[in-house]
Amino acid sequence: MKKLDVWFVTGSQHLYGPETLNQVTRDSQEIAKALDAAPAVPVNVVFKPVLVTPEAVTELVLAANHAPECIGIISWCHTFSPSKMWINGLKQLHKPALHLHTQYNRDIPWSTIDMDFMNLNQAAHGDREHGFIWSRLRLNRKVVVGYWREKQIQQKIGAWSRAAAAWNDWQGAKFARFGDNMREVAVTEGDKVAAQFKFGYSVNGYGVGDLVAVINSVTDKEVDRLVEEYESTYEVTSDLRKNGNRHKFVREAARIEQGMRTFLKNGDFKGFTTTFEDLHGLEQLPGLAVQRLMADGYGFGAEGDWKTSALLRAVKIMGTGLSGGASFMEDYTYHLDPAGKLVLGAHMLEVCPSIADRKPALEVHALGIGGKMDPARLVFNTPPGPATNASLIDMGNRFRLLVNEVDVVRLEQPMPKLPVAQAVWKPRPNLEDACASWIYAGGAHHVAFSQAVTGEMLEDFAEIADIEFLLIGEKTTVPEFKKELRTNEVYYASNRGWTI
């Protein structure tokens, strides 16, 4: 994150004279410096000269567009900044934006306030002028209101900067599909051309044979190195260790992992998909390999689900440095006890160990799907705490980001016959309303699960991407949620047209 910058931009005008503008500069530098040092803001906040002319605004915007380290701008009007001077520049802005509505002083100096103070501290109406032109131009941005030293304000800026970092990561990103989509499945499909146009990343398919050729070139020395890493990192029983009677399963998993790593690294990919319906030439369904690649930051989607792969990558970028991990996940089955209704989230193999509550156990078990060698996988539980499930859906005329806030709980009792990594959670507001709302919205069965990323970050991300956002949370009711769905249909069909 500290390789990324957001530019702090202050608006004013020549009318106030050099003395006032010099003070505006000093105050703005102090605010930028404080935000840069704030623990909640993970990126660099870089002060930029105060803008007082249309030419200066345009010049700064063009510079921001072409600066690879700049992921967005924070704008603020210390004084009054005539909004017409921002038009040409904002029309050309291609980076995310946050409008900070604050003021240098926290309190009104009741006994000393005079017209000089009033002329200098005009954000109360200067930012309204500034906000008008953003709205008049129909430009998306995040508006944060409050005193710049407050932790809550800094946290909101930090959430937006994380979303901006994830958006920056998507630009030019590449995602590989090993094999195609799982046959006859609808929600994991989608328009890859529309996604590239809308989101900036590309998705392309590669024959499993292309991957197998790389796997077959992996040396025994490379396999040995990975096996040693497994044995020092995870709980491994003696039969799976070197010279154990089932060690061959682990070696094959290591060979697959090294081959996938090489393929993804050589192609500069940020995520990938697999499907158990296309394993020609592979000895195992990739399980351990997928888990460890996700732990290193790769996006992943099972059964050809490229949208979830890309979304998981974005979620991992957003959560960088925060407590809690992120994983590909699937709502698998329910616990419908009236005393406590729960969801068991898991997958056949592919759950990221970044969400593990302890040292994972490396295990090998038969798998009833795919018809291949018994695959290796990491098995663990997920620690309790708040989390989010996010689903990116292609609705035909638009993309929709659907999020459910959930609370992970401790297992009520062990599940010794279920050898998969998993999480158990209570959906907010409750299982019935959360699931009904999810289904009404067309949410997928695959999600990007995170105990680090919040609903606010995901909403900021949707705002930057200019896509529909729906949140299922503590205050959600099914009737109101259905109304929101219907209102959105009208909005996207009439006000925005058939956007992608």
Side-chain angles (χ1 to χ4, degrees):
M1 287 288 187
K2 282 301 181 183
K3 295 180 180 179
L4 305 175
D5 299 339
V6 293
W7 290 5
F8 190 85
V9 180
T10 309
S12 188
Q13 61 179 334
H14 281 303
L15 180 66
Y16 304 108
E19 183 178 347
T20 297
L21 289 177
N22 287 338
Q23 187 63 52
V24 168
T25 296
R26 290 191 294 270
D27 293 348
S28 298
Q29 288 173 326
E30 185 177 346
I31 294 175
K33 185 177 180 180
L35 295 179
D36 182 60
V41 181
V43 301
N44 304 310
V45 179
V46 179
F47 168 80
K48 290 295 175 179
V50 176
L51 303 178
V52 295
T53 67
E55 293 77 14
V57 174
T58 301
E59 182 180 349
L60 179 130
V61 166
L62 294 178
N65 286 343
H66 292 93
E69 73 283 355
C70 176
I71 62 170
I73 66 169
I74 299 173
S75 62
W76 170 55
C77 295
H78 191 320
T79 63
F80 195 80
S81 181
S83 64
K84 282 181 63 179
M85 80 177 200
W86 290 82
I87 293 174
N88 189 55
L90 293 184
K91 283 171 59 180
Q92 301 179 70
L93 180 64
H94 300 308
K95 296 289 177 79
L98 181 147
H99 182 181
L100 178 59
H101 184 43
T102 189
Q103 60 186 28
Y104 177 73
N105 59 295
R106 192 193 70 175
D107 304 327
I108 295 175
W110 304 104
S111 63
T112 61
I113 187 170
D114 56 18
M115 285 310 300
D116 288 338
F117 181 93
M118 295 278 279
N119 284 333
L120 176 64
N121 298 282
Q122 298 187 57
H125 62 284
D127 275 330
R128 282 171 165 77
E129 168 77 356
H130 187 57
F132 163 74
I133 207 61
W134 286 88
S135 297
R136 181 66 176 82
L137 292 171
R138 308 304 199 265
L139 295 176
N140 291 0
R141 76 282 193 194
K142 180 173 186 175
V143 178
V144 175
V145 181
Y147 187 51
W148 52 278
R149 289 192 184 276
E150 292 178 0
K151 288 185 178 180
Q152 182 181 8
I153 300 305
Q154 295 172 356
Q155 288 168 352
K156 288 180 176 294
I157 295 171
W160 168 83
S161 67
R162 289 180 177 279
W167 178 254
N168 180 72
D169 183 74
W170 263 11
Q171 305 314 299
K174 297 191 296 182
F175 294 87
R177 300 179 78 204
F178 297 122
D180 200 354
N181 200 59
M182 182 178 173
R183 288 185 283 276
E184 304 298 342
V185 177
V187 76
T188 52
E189 282 284 13
D191 189 334
K192 295 186 287 293
V193 174
Q196 185 167 351
F197 178 83
K198 190 68 177 174
F199 301 129
Y201 63 72
S202 64
V203 181
N204 287 294
Y206 295 85
V208 177
D210 296 334
L211 174 60
V212 170
V214 180
I215 292 173
N216 290 341
S217 69
V218 173
T219 66
D220 287 341
K221 185 176 180 180
E222 290 174 307
V223 172
D224 291 340
R225 178 188 59 79
L226 272 179
V227 169
E228 289 178 5
E229 185 177 332
Y230 297 164
E231 294 185 359
S232 65
T233 306
Y234 311 118
E235 300 287 352
V236 184
T237 56
S238 58
D239 63 326
L240 298 180
R241 290 178 177 269
K242 189 176 182 179
N243 299 322
N245 62 351
R246 297 204 301 157
H247 182 62
K248 65 178 182 179
F249 299 109
V250 177
R251 289 190 65 81
E252 187 58 34
R255 191 177 302 279
I256 291 172
E257 178 184 338
Q258 185 58 52
M260 295 185 84
R261 284 187 180 278
T262 300
F263 190 103
L264 295 171
K265 182 178 179 181
N266 289 347
D268 194 28
F269 295 105
K270 293 184 176 180
F272 63 102
T273 70
T274 62
T275 174
F276 58 78
E277 284 188 319
D278 194 351
L279 299 174
H280 301 298
L282 290 172
E283 296 297 327
Q284 293 181 9
L285 173 65
L288 178 61
V290 172
Q291 291 178 292
R292 284 171 50 84
L293 286 163
M294 279 194 287
D296 287 344
Y298 284 96
F300 171 74
E303 295 130 34
D305 189 352
W306 53 270
K307 297 189 296 298
T308 300
S309 177
L311 182 59
L312 178 60
R313 168 67 183 192
V315 165
K316 283 185 172 289
I317 294 296
M318 281 185 245
T320 298
L322 296 176
S323 176
S327 178
F328 170 81
M329 189 65 75
E330 181 172 272
D331 296 69
Y332 231 97
T333 194
Y334 296 137
H335 182 64
L336 297 178
D337 183 350
K341 298 179 181 180
L342 305 170
V343 178
L344 171 62
H347 206 255
M348 294 182 298
L349 306 173
E350 310 97 332
V351 177
C352 179
S354 68
I355 65 171
D357 65 346
R358 56 178 172 81
K359 180 188 287 189
L362 195 161
E363 300 181 13
V364 173
H365 299 275
L367 187 67
I369 291 178
K372 293 290 182 175
M373 174 191 289
D374 296 349
R377 82 291 302 271
L378 299 176
V379 178
F380 52 84
N381 300 327
T382 304
T388 52
N389 282 324
S391 175
L392 183 62
I393 314 153
D394 185 345
M395 295 300 294
N397 69 328
R398 66 189 184 278
F399 288 98
R400 168 181 288 168
L401 182 58
L402 176 64
V403 176
N404 187 194
E405 296 174 329
V406 304
D407 293 288
V408 179
V409 300
R410 293 191 185 279
L411 289 181
E412 295 184 353
Q413 51 186 305
M415 298 182 289
K417 294 185 178 181
L418 184 66
V420 297
Q422 49 72 36
V424 177
W425 62 77
K426 293 180 180 178
R428 299 181 190 174
N430 54 65
L431 188 141
E432 293 89 345
D433 290 346
C435 293
S437 298
W438 190 274
I439 290 170
Y440 276 122
H445 55 289
H446 292 164
V447 298
F449 168 92
S450 177
Q451 290 188 298
V453 170
T454 64
E456 181 183 13
M457 296 177 198
L458 291 162
E459 183 176 8
D460 289 346
F461 186 75
E463 186 78 15
I464 292 169
D466 191 27
I467 60 174
E468 182 184 11
F469 177 80
L470 291 167
L471 177 69
I472 303 170
E474 196 63 48
K475 298 180 180 179
T476 298
T477 65
V478 173
E480 289 303 314
F481 191 80
K482 290 170 67 176
K483 289 179 184 178
E484 185 177 5
L485 289 172
R486 293 179 180 130
T487 300
N488 288 0
E489 286 293 338
V490 174
Y491 172 78
Y492 281 95
S494 61
N495 190 44
R496 300 297 297 275
W498 289 87
T499 57
I500 57 176

